[in-house]
Structure formats: C-alpha cells, structure tokens
Amino acid sequence: MSSLLIKNGRVIDPASGHDAIADLWIQDGVIAGVGSNLSPGDTETFDAAGLIVAPGFIDMHVHLREPGFEHAETIESGSRAAAAGGFTSICPMPNTKPVNDNATVTSYIIEKARRHALVNVFPIGAITKGSNGEELAAIGAMRQAGAVAISDDGRPVMNARVMRRAMEFARSFGIPVINHCEDLHLSAGGDMHEGLESVRLGLRGIPACSEDVMVARDILLAELTGVRYHVAHISSRHSVEMVAFAKSRGLAVTAEATPHHLALADRDMTPYDSNFKMKPPLRSCGDVQGVVEGIVNGAVDAIATDHAPHPGSEKMQEFEQCPFGILGLETAIAVSLEQLVHTGKIPLARLVALFTTGPARILGLSGGGLERGTLTPGAAADVTIFSTTREWTYDVNRSFSKSRNSPFDGATFKGGPVATVVAGDIVWQA
Ligand SMILES: [Zn+2]
Ligand SMILES: [Zn+2]
C-alpha cells in the first residue's frame, strides 16, 4: 500500500478554507491528513518548501481528438500534456469521430483512459446526435456510462426548441448543459473578432453579439427548465454581465473563461498567425477587461483551457483556411498567475478555487464516491504542486501534445506546475 508525505508546502484548499504551511499525507489513493505533526511512519516524501500544494486541478474543457483524429492528439498524449500542466482531471468534449453521442463511445473513452491516461478523464457527451443540433443524443445512457455533462461544443445548439428539450432531459438526469454560445448566422464567415482590428487586417469579423444573443437565450431557457446551465469559454463583457444577472436571480448559471481570453485581445494578435485563431476569437480590450472583472466579482466560476490541438499541416494554411483552436493545458497555470495573481487582481486562493472547487461544483465531481477538488481527508489523492516564482520559458516543440499550435511559444513565465499527483502517485514532475 502506497504512502506519500508532501512536506513544508503552502497548502491551499479553498473547500475548507485552509491556507497555511503544512504537510499533506496521502495513503492508498486518498487524502489521509493535513497538518504539522503527522507521523505516517515509513513513507515516500516530497519536499514542497517554497511551493503551493493544492487540490488537483480540473480542466473541464479539453479536446483529446480520440477517437478519429489521433494525428492531432490521443487520450494518452493529451493526458500527458494535462499532467505536465498541473491538471489531474480533464473533461474531453464530444466532437470526436464518431461523436460521443452514445454510451458505446463514452465507455470507449473511459476504458481507453483507464488504460493509457496519466490523469482522470471525465467525458462530456453530446447534446444532439452527431452534434447536428436536431435530434437529442442518448443522454441518459451516456450519463449512466459516466458522462458528467452534455455539450455540442464546437457547434452551438441553434434550435431553441431542441435546446429546451435537452435542458429538460439534463435536469432529470442531474447533469449540466454546457453551450458553445455562438449564433451561426451572426458569426458566419468570420475569422476574428469584429472590430477596428478586423477592419485594419481586412479579415471578416465575428461580432461579440453572436455570443451574447445565445447566452441571453440560454439563460431564459435555463430559467424555464431549471437546469444547471454553463457557458463555455465566455469572452464578451455583455455575456459576463448576463451571467452575473442570472446568478443574481438565483439561477444555476455558471461560466468558464480560458487563459487566452484573459491574456490576449484582438490587437495582440500576430497578424495572420493561425496560432491566434480560435473560437470565440480574441476580443476587444474592453471584453478582456470584462472577463477579468467577471473572475474578480464571481460571475465566472472556473478557468478551463479549451485545449484544441490541430496538426501543423492544418494550422499552416492561410489564416482564412485554417481551423479554429489552440493548445492550452501546459500554459494555463502560468498564464493565469501572470494575468490574475501577479497583477494583484485576485488572491492566490481564489485562483486555486477557479481550477478546483469551481469546476468540481459545476460538474458535481465534489459529491459521492471520491470527492475531487478538495484536500479534505477521504477525498481523492489528486494534488497539484506549483510555484508562483520559478521562471521558465515555454517551448512548444517540447510539448507533450501531438500538436504545436500555441500563441505562447517562447513566452517566459513566473510560476507554473512543478509536480502532479494522481490517486497518490506522482505522475509528472518538472
Ligand atoms: Zn467551443
Ligand atoms: Zn472547445
């Protein structure tokens, strides 16, 4: 039976409010205790002096590309990138080939992950068959097989009637609905945020309102159905304000933001560089500020990467031709520290909550079975050890991902992941 003592770190556990230098003791895959006078006997030790010891980080929005697009990423390679980014749990979106719209695909992903993944994998099932937006997927069967939420990410559910039915089903199965909010009629043909920059670069724009109208519709439907509703990769100021409004009305509406939408605006793009092309697009400075304010005031509940690997053969095309999406797992902690903590906008404990209790509560990973996102005794021994001071440079060519599409290649950061512990085992170390 395995035992691990993580010594002398600053143990931050937002779920219990613990924030002090302490030792963390793990035994047989669960948290055994936090304190200063633990005597676990004969045990492996990890010296975390000068480091932060937090519950295992959860990324509730990734794309692992398996099954179907294994040249871009696999469950194994994506899980390695996750471990190297300090994540102990990841939730892959269903836009694989075939789409994860039935229990067979859900079970396939879970079984593959059990054998090959370094971290926990909690799949998200599709809302509609083939994510075509028309006929509901096998929501109950996927839930039974282990799906933790439903989403047609990559595409929105355009038909409000279909969305309403999906919400009613999801509510009865106790899982949240996650929407990629984009009105396709308003965004059609766009390659970047619609504004002065798109005019200057001569590229077709995706207006912020294409996101806002969908968020507004969904909040109304969430109120009607009583579902737990979650906005993926929120990127506009108005959308953040509407989520705050929904919360003020007592609705179970939550939102996630990506590190790149906190760090970069449209004017920061290297012109025509596809590593700056994603959906939603990098928006105006005012929108970036709006998302950051949402994190500060609590409208935004979680940080998620939307890790979206694409191979060079696809990304090295003309800007208008190449697919949307960038890598995110390995730079998420560093970018978030830089934008939110080093700038003094939020305390470190709040940052930890955005990566732990936030996603755990949205997905219901914090109840039943082994608890996630907390270091309370008896919870899963998933631990993220990171630094807030260590300087390092991100070299995308050394990424564990199979793809290389990152706008942060060559960036130097202060702080980042140091070691990742899953079920009591150190699965990655800097
Ligand atoms: Zn999306
Ligand atoms: Zn996505």
Side-chain angles (χ1 to χ4, degrees), residues 347-421:
L348 190 53
R350 167 77 179 138
L351 182 93
V352 171
L354 288 161
F355 281 103
T356 56
T357 44
R361 282 174 189 156
I362 292 163
L363 297 171
L365 302 180
S366 50
L370 281 185
E371 270 195 273
R372 312 267 170 196
T374 172
L375 296 174
T376 46
D382 296 342
V383 183
T384 295
I385 302 170
F386 67 98
S387 162
T388 57
T389 54
R390 208 175 271 190
E391 288 207 8
W392 64 289
T393 301
Y394 181 57
D395 177 359
V396 77
N397 287 317
R398 299 182 61 190
S399 171
F400 286 97
S401 171
K402 285 182 120 181
S403 295
R404 296 288 176 261
N405 49 315
S406 168
F408 298 112
D409 183 33
T412 295
F413 296 108
K414 205 175 106 194
V418 172
T420 307
V421 178

Side-chain angles (χ1 to χ4, degrees), residues 145-308:
V148 294
I150 52 171
S151 178
D152 276 352
D153 183 52
R155 297 184 201 184
V157 177
M158 283 293 289
N159 184 322
R161 181 186 168 85
V162 172
M163 189 52 144
R164 177 188 178 175
R165 290 281 170 259
M167 286 180 168
E168 286 165 350
F169 268 87
R171 181 176 180 231
S172 68
F173 292 115
I175 53 175
V177 173
I178 302 172
N179 201 10
H180 165 121
C181 293
E182 174 188 357
D183 182 296
L184 295 174
H185 301 300
L186 287 169
S187 66
D191 293 308
M192 67 174 286
H193 176 63
E194 180 182 293
L196 283 178
E197 284 300 309
S198 64
V199 173
R200 196 172 70 82
L201 296 175
L203 291 168
R204 286 170 300 179
I206 300 172
C209 69
S210 64
E211 178 172 327
D212 303 335
V213 297
M214 188 67 92
V215 171
R217 181 203 76 175
D218 284 356
I219 287 172
L220 294 169
L221 292 175
E223 179 158 27
L224 179 69
T225 59
V227 75
R228 278 153 56 211
Y229 169 72
H230 180 76
V231 181
H233 42 51
I234 201 163
S235 74
S236 94
R237 174 180 284 279
H238 283 148
S239 290
V240 172
E241 287 168 353
M242 284 187 281
V243 169
F245 171 75
K247 284 187 154 91
S248 74
R249 286 176 69 106
L251 304 182
V253 171
T254 53
E256 75 197 22
T258 73
H260 51 271
H261 287 114
L262 302 173
L264 300 167
D266 54 356
R267 67 163 190 203
D268 301 318
M269 294 170 63
T270 305
Y272 314 110
D273 180 341
S274 64
N275 290 322
F276 293 83
K277 182 177 178 182
M278 72 291 285
K279 273 189 177 174
L282 298 174
R283 297 219 184 266
S284 70
C285 294
D287 288 312
V288 172
Q289 220 181 337
V291 176
V292 171
E293 282 165 23
I295 284 190
V296 173
N297 67 29
V300 175
D301 308 82
I303 293 178
T305 66
D306 196 8
H307 177 82

